[in-house]
Amino acid sequence: MSNRLKVTPNDLSAFWMPFTANRQFKQAPRMFVSAKDMHYTTSDGRKVLDGTAGLWCVNAGHCRPKITEAIQSQAAELDYAPAFQMGHPIVFELANRLVDIAPKGMDHVFFTNSGSESVETALKMAIAYHRVRGEGSRTRLIGRERGYHGVNFGGISVGGIVSNRKMFGTLLGGVDHLPHTHLPEKNAFSKGVPEHGAELANDLERLIALHDASTIAAVIVEPVAGSTGVILPPKGYLQKLREICTKHGILLIFDEVITGFGRLGAPFAADYFGVTPDIMTTAKGVSNGVIPMGAVFVKKEIHDAFMTGPEHMIEFFHGYTYSGNPIACAAALGTLDTYKEEGLLTRGEELAPYWEDALHSLKGEPHVIDIRNIGLIGAIELAPIAGSPTKRAFSAFVKAFERGALIRTTGDIIALSPPLIITKGQINELIDHVRDVLRSID
Ligand code: PXG
Ligand code: PLP
């Protein structure tokens, strides 16, 4: 056992933790000190089954040798190269490898360091694209209620999660929202994509009638909404959005930060649904969550529209100090190698029926009011405790952790998204933990 295992820092106050109930956490900290494949190890030496791939990102499982080795050797060879006006070989190699697995037509990649940065990049690209081609009046952005697009100002403006928006002032102007597609009264306990609700895409026609297409740059949606508690697109919904955007010259952005890299059993949600967006934002699974990285995929026409004007001029005034950081690139290449060798980008397809049955076996357990699934994503929605929303799901989270399973909760919804290497036995184990937890909480 590592000698770090028993160490608990004696002062937890300096670190202001993100998206955490800081005071509650610091009274009873939950600490991971190591991880391997499907498991974490806690500071008190317990093994915890990872039911959430970290935060939806560790798709290949933990501490995979190819990724670790790639990082180690890159760190010793070229640690950093300036991202602007300079290059290094593996960032080009990585872009080519990513384009190879991307949906057809997405021929170019812009690197960022997170999903939030990918979203800002995509929104800026969309507005600037229209401007470089002489349609500078297209500046408006359309998001969706309950959407999550990270935490930067563009992302929270097009996003639709009230608590992520209300504290932060007036946000970006010129933004409107489609309605969300969560219709529990019609679709509860659907297996896979729900039957009802495709017509909600027609609301885009209403927004276009209100604002006029000539003012709208882009529509951004998560093909499957993750953070808000797993909301699936009704059958035919994404196709409809695609048709309306195309008809009106509006760019369609899929935010695939969660759905990208095999989560649905296909490399991207665009492949799964057979709908190709104009821009695709990714992060998380691109580097297995190991080193921060994001990648924005763009269609050739969009990229090429910028490649005009004097050749000595910068074409797109945007980029990050760490765009295409060599060590992040090495991690991503090690990740893609692991995905390829183990067939992980499509493994979810084989496992999905087993996953679906296991999840839906929780129907009828205490508090369960809906179960949703797609690929290797699952959601179990609980009835909230009257007057104390989120409390029931949070106690399920703590109980599960104590029993040996990491689950994720948002509102009163339990979201599951295990690493894509999970075995059937481990699926049973995870679902059994959830079942026992549901039976033990108030
Ligand atoms: N877009 C989508 C669709 C996301 O899911 C982001 C953008 C932002 O990515 P970064 O890397 O900036 O966090 C996300 C991130 C959860 C959870 O438990 C989800 C995310 C992040 C952390 C927790 O639902 N999604
Ligand atoms: N703030 C200051 C003062 C900077 O100099 C920079 C980058 O040079 C940034 C913010 C942006 O940092 P990054 O490129 O890591 O996003």
Side-chain angles (χ1 to χ4, degrees):
M1 198 187 283
S2 153
N3 61 7
R4 287 181 303 167
L5 276 189
K6 297 282 182 203
V7 172
T8 304
N10 58 15
D11 188 353
L12 305 182
S13 67
F15 176 33
W16 186 351
M17 298 173 72
F19 274 118
T20 297
N22 274 255
R23 289 157 301 161
Q24 182 185 52
F25 179 95
K26 289 168 188 180
Q27 280 163 29
R30 297 172 292 275
M31 302 272 202
F32 289 135
V33 293
S34 65
K36 184 72 197 143
D37 300 328
M38 279 298 302
H39 291 90
Y40 281 107
T41 303
T42 63
S43 50
D44 53 355
R46 292 184 305 113
K47 285 239 175 315
V48 172
L49 181 66
D50 184 359
T52 59
L55 284 178
W56 311 78
C57 50
V58 187
N59 288 5
H62 295 275
C63 292
R64 302 305 310 273
K66 277 256 149 78
I67 305 172
T68 311
E69 285 156 21
I71 292 167
Q72 285 171 335
S73 59
Q74 187 62 44
E77 189 173 321
L78 176 67
D79 51 355
Y80 178 78
F84 307 161
Q85 305 285 20
M86 287 301 298
H88 62 90
I90 67 168
V91 69
F92 292 93
E93 183 187 344
L94 177 61
N96 286 320
R97 292 272 304 270
L98 288 170
V99 164
D100 283 347
I101 60 164
K104 204 164 165 296
M106 314 237 63
D107 291 345
H108 299 276
V109 178
F110 195 101
F111 289 111
T112 72
N113 309 288
S114 66
S116 296
E117 288 184 358
S118 288
V119 166
E120 302 306 299
T121 300
L123 299 176
K124 288 172 74 177
M125 262 178 193
I127 292 172
Y129 163 74
H130 289 297
R131 183 174 155 127
V132 293
R133 33 186 291 286
E135 279 203 77
S137 65
R138 288 189 182 263
T139 56
R140 209 176 280 283
L141 300 166
I142 310 283
R144 192 168 59 185
E145 293 165 1
R146 292 190 71 163
Y148 185 69
H149 301 291
V151 292
N152 293 343
F153 271 106
I156 58 174
S157 302
V158 293
I161 297 182
V162 181
S163 44
N164 291 1
R165 292 163 51 91
K166 70 179 182 197
M167 302 298 280
F168 308 111
T170 53
L171 313 184
L172 272 191
V175 171
D176 214 333
H177 291 77
L178 291 165
H180 65 72
T181 66
H182 186 43
L183 303 172
E185 59 294 343
K186 289 185 180 158
N187 289 327
F189 297 101
S190 291
K191 293 188 169 176
V193 292
E195 285 295 327
H196 305 285
E199 68 286 353
L200 290 166
N202 295 332
D203 213 68
L204 182 53
E205 291 280 14
R206 182 184 66 79
L207 294 179
I208 293 167
L210 176 67
H211 298 298
D212 198 74
S214 67
T215 71
I216 304 175
V219 169
I220 181 167
V221 291
E222 301 157 272
V224 173
S227 245
T228 188
V230 182
I231 301 181
L232 305 188
K235 217 171 262 174
Y237 173 89
L238 293 172
Q239 284 81 354
K240 258 191 199 204
L241 276 190
R242 175 69 277 181
E243 283 161 25
I244 299 170
C245 285
T246 304
K247 184 167 112 193
H248 294 282
I250 297 167
L251 296 181
L252 178 61
I253 305 170
F254 275 181
D255 188 347
E256 296 229 25
V257 168
I258 282 178
T259 52
F261 299 98
R263 179 52 55 199
L264 303 187
F268 297 93
D271 303 305
Y272 183 93
F273 292 108
V275 176
T276 309
D278 300 296
I279 305 180
M280 201 168 75
T281 54
T282 71
K284 295 193 190 263
V286 67
S287 57
N288 208 36
V290 176
I291 304 268
M293 173 168 255
V296 180
F297 293 74
V298 257
K299 276 193 175 159
K300 181 176 175 355
E301 302 87 285
I302 295 175
H303 166 270
D304 290 356
F306 285 88
M307 299 302 140
T308 54
E311 287 198 4
H312 71 279
M313 282 295 291
I314 290 167
E315 296 102 356
F316 183 39
F317 282 84
H318 179 74
Y320 302 98
T321 303
Y322 309 115
S323 287
N325 171 280
I327 299 174
C329 289
L333 286 168
T335 299
L336 294 183
D337 288 342
T338 308
Y339 289 160
K340 190 170 178 188
E341 274 165 29
E342 300 177 17
L344 295 180
L345 296 183
T346 50
R347 187 165 186 269
E349 189 185 4
E350 293 151 45
L351 274 182
Y354 193 88
W355 174 251
E356 177 175 282
D357 288 347
L359 265 173
H360 283 269
S361 75
L362 295 169
K363 188 175 180 181
E365 294 296 341
H367 321 300
V368 175
I369 57 170
D370 189 14
I371 295 174
R372 304 184 279 278
N373 72 286
I374 188 166
L376 278 185
I377 300 179
I380 303 135
E381 182 149 3
L382 309 182
I385 295 173
S388 299
T390 78
K391 207 168 168 194
R392 179 167 280 147
F394 190 75
S395 46
F397 164 75
V398 173
K399 276 255 161 66
F401 172 74
E402 286 165 358
R403 289 184 54 90
L406 182 69
I407 63 175
R408 175 103 187 117
T409 63
T410 170
D412 274 294
I413 300 160
I414 297 173
L416 301 174
S417 57
L420 308 173
I421 59 168
I422 194 170
T423 63
K424 288 182 177 175
Q426 287 162 337
I427 291 177
N428 296 344
E429 200 186 314
L430 179 62
I431 298 298
D432 285 346
H433 278 307
V434 174
R435 190 187 319 280
D436 291 345
V437 163
L438 291 173
R439 290 178 184 178
S440 70
I441 56 174
D442 295 329

